[in-house]
């Protein structure tokens, strides 16, 4: 017995949706918000405002990891200030020392 397969039934019937990239919460905002200059006074309010934006961001964790990997010494990244990241790195180093 011989079967004939018609290829027209195998033609794609659904459109292939391109996965959308998550939109960062800082997209379209003034980048200067994330780069406060100084560590006191109104600068702290600016830093808190930037961190609040980060807390709404779907990429907060990967943004923070990237900043730690790159050794970012300025700016708010992943909801952290440079001081916060120094603290994280010091804690990680201390934890590594304890386990070594
Ligand atoms: S976590 Fe990173 S990408 Fe998201 S809003 Fe903050 S700085 Fe922008």
């Amino acid at each position: 017995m011989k079967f004939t397969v018609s290829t027209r039934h195998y033609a794609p019937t659904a459109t292939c949706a391109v996965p959308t990239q998550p939109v960062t919460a800082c997209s379209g905002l003034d980048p200067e918000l994330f780069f406060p200059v100084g560590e006191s006074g109104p600068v702290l309010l600016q830093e808190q405002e930037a961190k609040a934006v980060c807390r709404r961001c779907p990429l907060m964790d990967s943004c923070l990891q990237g900043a730690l990997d790159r050794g970012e010494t300025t700016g708010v990244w992943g909801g952290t200030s440079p001081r916060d990241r120094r603290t994280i790195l010091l804690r990680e180093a201390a934890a590594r020392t304890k386990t070594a």
Side-chain angles (χ1 to χ4, degrees):
M1 182 182 275
K2 187 173 179 181
F3 294 97
T4 303
V5 177
S6 172
T7 55
R8 72 185 170 94
H9 297 293
Y10 295 94
T13 55
T15 56
C16 297
V18 176
T20 55
Q21 297 282 331
V23 177
T24 63
C26 58
S27 176
L29 296 181
D30 184 350
E32 286 194 20
L33 173 65
F34 296 85
F35 291 92
V37 178
E39 294 192 347
S40 62
V43 167
L44 295 178
L45 292 176
Q46 181 183 346
E47 186 180 288
Q48 291 306 314
E49 195 178 331
K51 287 179 174 181
V53 173
C54 291
R55 285 193 291 272
R56 299 193 306 266
C57 184
L59 298 176
M60 192 170 99
D61 291 344
S62 59
C63 181
L64 171 57
Q65 189 59 58
L68 292 171
D69 292 347
R70 293 187 306 273
E72 292 284 356
T73 57
T74 60
V76 172
W77 300 89
T80 62
S81 67
R83 282 183 320 281
D84 299 330
R85 292 191 298 277
R86 280 193 300 272
T87 301
I88 290 169
L89 292 172
L90 286 171
R91 283 187 185 147
E92 285 180 352
R96 277 195 304 274
T97 304
K98 279 185 184 174
T99 57

